[in-house]
Amino acid sequence: LRDPRVRRALSLTVPRQEICDKITQCGQTPIYGLVPPGISAYQSAATPPASEESARLEAQSLLAAAGFGPGGTPFPTIEIHYNHSEAHRDIAEVIGTAWRRHLGVRVKFLNQEWKVYLDTQSSLDYDISRSAWIGDYVDPNSFLDLFVTGGENNKTGWGDPEYDALLRRAALELAPTRRMELLQQAERLLLEAMPIIPGVPYASQNLVSPRLGGFHENILDVHFPKFWYWMDDAELTAPVE
């Protein structure tokens, strides 16, 4: 797992669409980058594979180039670590099955209670660990800042001076377009190193009466009751412009 080719091979064979369709089932779209979609003026640095078949072939080639597989060194068993949740278990098992089928990688699983799980992550005592993040504010930096060298929330052990410098430059950049370009460069560097495997974003679920006005979708899923009101029949049936 110290070899970025191995990490990329594992990422390419994560069955993201299957996870969305059969496990999470909340309308999510698979993602290949760290920064989630929906942030205006930001273009993701991720490049999705052309197809699942091309992703598998590239993954097998990368693993062979790293010296593993037929004719090379048998890949050691790796462990997927996750916190207690039926959905997390199901996702881990689907990923493990895909890695065995497409890469010949043997997988075992470690499920831990929340506090123990956090201690395991903090001490870097894992092979691959399930993790998640919800943005505090609508900006790529809310996600990219997680992986600065030695950051409190960086539970990977990875760090890169160039990545850190790009985030510092973005923090000082006053031109919005140039700032987003610097953040995109940082995300691209992160995805090339691949200390993380992006997969499936969270999705909010709200059950709302069609008569409720003032309730609008937004990326933070923040809704202030002071703006809500009950629509009358005329407004309810009026065509949406």
Side-chain angles (χ1 to χ4, degrees):
L1 297 176
R2 294 181 182 275
D3 191 325
R5 293 172 296 184
V6 172
R7 300 195 295 268
R8 178 162 176 78
L10 294 174
S11 175
L12 284 166
T13 44
V14 168
R16 294 167 174 83
Q17 192 63 58
E18 181 180 352
I19 292 170
C20 290
D21 293 343
K22 297 182 179 180
I23 301 176
T24 58
Q25 297 183 323
C26 292
Q28 295 104 317
T29 300
I31 58 173
Y32 294 84
L34 171 63
V35 181
I39 299 177
S40 61
Y42 184 77
Q43 182 67 40
S44 174
T47 303
S51 66
E52 290 186 2
E53 179 62 23
S54 66
R56 286 194 292 269
L57 292 174
E58 183 182 351
Q60 291 163 1
S61 176
L62 286 166
L63 209 61
F68 297 102
T73 303
F75 201 93
T77 299
I78 57 176
E79 185 175 74
I80 298 178
H81 169 242
Y82 61 96
N83 57 298
H84 181 68
S85 163
E86 187 173 319
H88 297 165
R89 180 202 64 203
D90 292 345
I91 291 172
E93 290 178 352
V94 167
I95 292 173
T97 298
W99 286 347
R100 285 193 298 270
R101 179 185 302 128
H102 303 307
L103 301 177
V105 173
R106 293 166 296 173
V107 179
K108 60 181 180 179
F109 306 96
L110 177 60
N111 171 18
Q112 292 183 328
E113 182 272 330
W114 180 246
K115 290 184 179 180
V116 180
Y117 156 85
L118 291 178
D119 288 341
T120 299
Q121 270 197 349
S122 296
S123 62
L124 305 182
D125 187 22
Y126 64 84
D127 294 334
I128 294 177
S129 182
R130 180 262 169 197
S131 192
W133 186 257
I134 296 175
D136 300 299
Y137 49 95
V138 183
D139 191 85
N141 189 71
S142 186
F143 296 88
L144 296 171
D145 187 61
L146 296 173
F147 297 102
V148 296
T149 304
E152 183 179 352
N153 291 303
N154 185 350
K155 306 297 177 63
T156 66
W158 177 82
D160 188 304
E162 184 180 353
Y163 182 86
D164 301 342
L166 284 167
L167 291 187
R168 288 195 299 270
R169 288 172 59 191
L172 299 173
E173 180 58 62
L174 299 180
T177 300
R178 178 55 182 159
R179 178 177 176 274
M180 289 297 183
E181 290 173 352
L182 291 168
L183 293 173
Q184 184 190 56
Q185 289 177 37
E187 185 183 24
R188 184 174 295 111
L189 193 156
L190 179 76
L191 296 177
E192 288 172 355
M194 198 64 73
I196 59 170
I197 298 178
V200 179
Y202 278 134
S204 298
Q205 295 175 288
N206 298 297
L207 185 63
V208 182
S209 168
R211 283 192 177 274
L212 183 64
F215 188 100
H216 304 291
E217 292 183 0
N218 63 88
I219 195 170
L220 286 180
D221 196 34
V222 174
H223 308 278
F224 297 103
K226 69 177 181 178
F227 297 119
W228 299 351
Y229 66 95
W230 209 242
M231 291 188 285
D232 58 27
D233 291 344
E235 185 175 2
L236 183 65
T237 58
V240 178
E241 296 181 358

